[in-house]
Amino acid sequence: MLHRPTTGIISQLGDGRAHLNGVAEPHLSPVDRFFTKQHRSHVGNPVETKLNAIAIEDVDPGIGTVGQVDGVAHVLVWVDFVPADFEGFGVHESSLEHPHCCFEKQTHHCTPTGGNGWINEPRHIHLDRPSMTAMTTDTSAEHTAAELNPIPAAEPDPLDSVLPKPISFEARYGDGIGRSLVLGGGGVYFVAWQVAYLNELIRRGVQLEDAERIVGTSAGSLVSSILASRGLKRFGKQVDWIAKVPALVNLLAPASHFHESQVRALEMFRDADNSDPATIKAIGHAALSANTPTAAEMRRSTGFAIAARGWPSPALHITAVDAYTGERLVVTQEAQTSAIRAAAASSAVPGIFSPQRLHDRWCMDGGVSGSGTHCDLVAGSKKAFVISLGAVVESDFGTMTLSPSSFKDEMDELAKAGTVAIARGPKKVDLSRLMDPDAVPEAIALGVEQAGEDVEELTAFWNS
């Protein structure tokens, strides 16, 4: 940045403020304002002044006006055409707190040469930042960027701090809980299967709606919210209806054509074979930059499914991930948000759906965390019924931040915590069709069938 020479008339008008060419000092550039303010207490007659201020990045190192003092680069500024009887032009203590400059706390006087008024002692300008011409007469003064460019203090959201909860089985988050239900993610296919399966179990007498803790992740967050609001029977009828008109499943499924930025985020998520913090944050940043449908569109679709306002039950716990920090978040009644917003965040698959705002965070799919179920949230409870694709799908390689043994490891940790757990998932599943609306009728039929096969065992396990 090159400050061109400024020439003008400085005067003090009726309002008591100094002016340069009739422009009041608050409206001048920082450099012009500085020199104008230095003159105003000395103005008798209008004074003509010219300022040369050169920023360091625009100066050839061979120019003599550039030098170093104590290893710090400096440029020189001078003023000409000041009255011969004007003494003491320099940096005055009254200007020490000028927001755009840094000054030493003593006055450095320059001496006019005589009649022509040229100042023979140019003063150093200390460049604290390449883009800022800051003025000082003390080359040893040190100033931080924060001092030179203060940023307004943030107003913390007290509810924001209740969201982060590190994944930890040692924390025994489920201590004191009797029956807990965990619902994992798996796309629109798994939503349809879960709804049909759980509805049939409840119809046959398994008291799943009495769970003391319900943990939902991704697609499971949608079903858990509906279950917690006791709307599963209603939604089951809607799923039956939607299955007859597959195009309507687009309310819960993504578009078939993606932008490049969407593909980039989705591929990063698919190919992630670990849950290292750097991996999760990289996926989150890609999700934030993806050209996806708006966050509001996703909430409308989620609201259509949940059809309930507020937070339906203290039992409900929905997981999500901060797309910027990579932290695991657990949304509960304490967060004072709606289940619709929380479920939309938990279901925001990177590259497919937009991250959702929860308080001061933009949040993505709870499965981008190394866990598709977050069973640690029920560790220590008496019993846990876990519904997950991991219960039936095995893999030889890591994907979507999950290792091949992720689900088994979580079940082993539950056992170590003293929690008796049963896990279930669809007997048949084609991972390539998880987001395929045409697969919904098959998922419904399979869910009803499996519930009939499992009802006796689950009644004995859950109702006792």
Side-chain angles (χ1 to χ4, degrees):
M1 176 178 64
L2 178 62
H3 289 289
R4 299 186 180 278
T6 298
T7 302
I9 300 299
I10 297 176
S11 58
Q12 187 166 333
L13 302 184
D15 57 6
R17 294 187 295 185
H19 292 65
L20 175 64
N21 294 334
V23 179
E25 61 185 51
H27 303 294
L28 298 173
S29 70
V31 172
D32 289 344
R33 184 163 63 248
F34 167 73
F35 278 92
T36 302
K37 289 176 72 173
Q38 302 314 306
H39 281 300
R40 66 179 175 183
S41 62
H42 302 283
V43 170
N45 299 313
V47 177
E48 182 180 4
T49 183
K50 182 168 72 174
L51 163 67
N52 291 332
I54 307 171
I56 190 66
E57 67 268 29
D58 293 313
V59 177
D60 187 320
I63 294 178
T65 52
V66 180
Q68 283 195 343
V69 177
D70 297 329
V72 180
H74 292 70
V75 295
L76 303 181
V77 162
W78 60 92
V79 176
D80 57 25
F81 274 118
V82 297
D85 60 350
F86 172 58
E87 295 183 357
F89 183 84
V91 181
H92 294 270
E93 291 184 54
S94 62
S95 299
L96 292 178
E97 304 303 323
H98 193 285
H100 296 282
C101 306
C102 55
F103 305 104
E104 71 168 346
K105 292 193 175 181
Q106 69 179 57
T107 301
H108 178 81
H109 293 287
C110 299
T111 305
T113 60
N116 62 8
W118 285 71
I119 290 177
N120 64 2
E121 188 180 344
R123 291 172 298 105
H124 287 299
I125 293 181
H126 180 93
L127 298 181
D128 287 281
R129 295 178 58 189
S131 62
M132 176 180 291
T133 302
M135 303 181 187
T136 182
T137 57
D138 181 3
T139 58
S140 65
E142 294 184 0
H143 298 270
T144 66
E147 290 172 332
L148 292 170
N149 295 285
I151 296 174
E155 296 184 9
D157 182 343
L159 296 176
D160 193 63
S161 61
V162 308
L163 295 173
K165 194 178 291 288
I167 296 176
S168 171
F169 282 88
E170 290 75 17
R172 299 181 64 88
Y173 295 126
D175 268 350
I177 294 172
R179 296 177 291 183
S180 54
L181 178 63
V182 178
L183 305 180
V188 67
Y189 176 90
F190 201 31
V191 168
W193 184 90
Q194 286 187 34
V195 169
Y197 182 72
L198 296 175
N199 254 330
E200 185 65 12
L201 289 176
I202 292 171
R203 189 183 73 81
R204 290 176 176 240
V206 183
Q207 300 165 355
L208 296 174
E209 292 177 318
D210 295 335
E212 296 166 58
R213 175 160 296 175
I214 306 171
V215 177
T217 297
S218 195
S221 70
L222 188 69
V223 180
S224 64
S225 298
I226 297 168
L227 178 66
S229 62
R230 297 186 178 265
L232 203 59
K233 185 176 181 180
R234 168 197 57 78
F235 188 65
K237 293 178 180 178
Q238 289 180 324
V239 171
D240 286 337
W241 174 62
I242 289 174
K244 295 178 176 63
V245 188
L248 295 179
V249 180
N250 288 329
L251 287 166
L252 303 174
S256 57
H257 302 289
F258 293 137
H259 299 286
E260 288 185 9
S261 60
Q262 291 180 272
V263 173
R264 179 177 63 233
L266 192 55
E267 286 181 345
M268 289 179 67
F269 180 38
R270 179 199 64 192
D271 297 341
D273 59 2
N274 64 81
S275 58
D276 295 340
T279 299
I280 294 173
K281 285 195 282 188
I283 295 170
H285 298 171
L288 288 168
S289 65
N291 184 11
T292 55
T294 67
E297 289 180 72
M298 179 62 173
R299 289 197 301 275
R300 283 195 294 270
S301 297
T302 307
F304 169 82
I306 296 175
R309 294 183 177 181
W311 200 259
S313 167
L316 180 62
H317 288 53
I318 292 176
T319 65
V321 173
D322 187 313
Y324 181 74
T325 67
E327 295 171 283
R328 195 270 295 269
L329 310 177
V330 181
V331 193
T332 65
Q333 190 174 46
E334 188 180 5
Q336 297 183 26
T337 189
S338 69
I340 290 173
R341 184 177 287 272
S346 184
S347 304
V349 180
I352 296 182
F353 300 117
S354 171
Q356 298 285 323
R357 187 172 62 82
L358 295 174
H359 293 296
D360 196 30
R361 302 170 183 267
W362 283 96
C363 308
M364 61 181 174
D365 195 306
V368 191
S369 57
S371 175
T373 48
H374 298 272
C375 288
D376 65 303
L377 296 176
V378 300
S381 62
K382 182 179 179 182
K383 61 182 68 174
F385 182 23
V386 182
I387 295 180
S388 170
L389 290 176
V392 293
V393 175
E394 296 182 358
S395 176
D396 297 328
F397 55 88
T399 182
M400 296 187 289
T401 72
L402 302 174
S403 72
S405 63
S406 289
F407 183 74
K408 180 181 180 302
D409 293 343
E410 290 198 40
M411 296 301 288
D412 289 345
E413 291 293 336
L414 282 181
K416 291 178 185 178
T419 299
V420 180
I422 287 181
R424 289 290 187 273
K427 291 188 300 183
K428 304 173 187 177
V429 58
D430 182 349
L431 295 180
S432 68
R433 301 187 68 197
L434 290 179
M435 301 303 291
D436 183 1
D438 293 336
V440 168
E442 177 186 330
I444 293 172
L446 185 60
V448 173
E449 177 187 329
Q450 280 187 248
E453 296 170 357
D454 295 342
V455 64
E456 185 175 346
E457 178 185 2
L458 290 173
T459 298
F461 169 74
W462 187 266
N463 290 3
S464 60

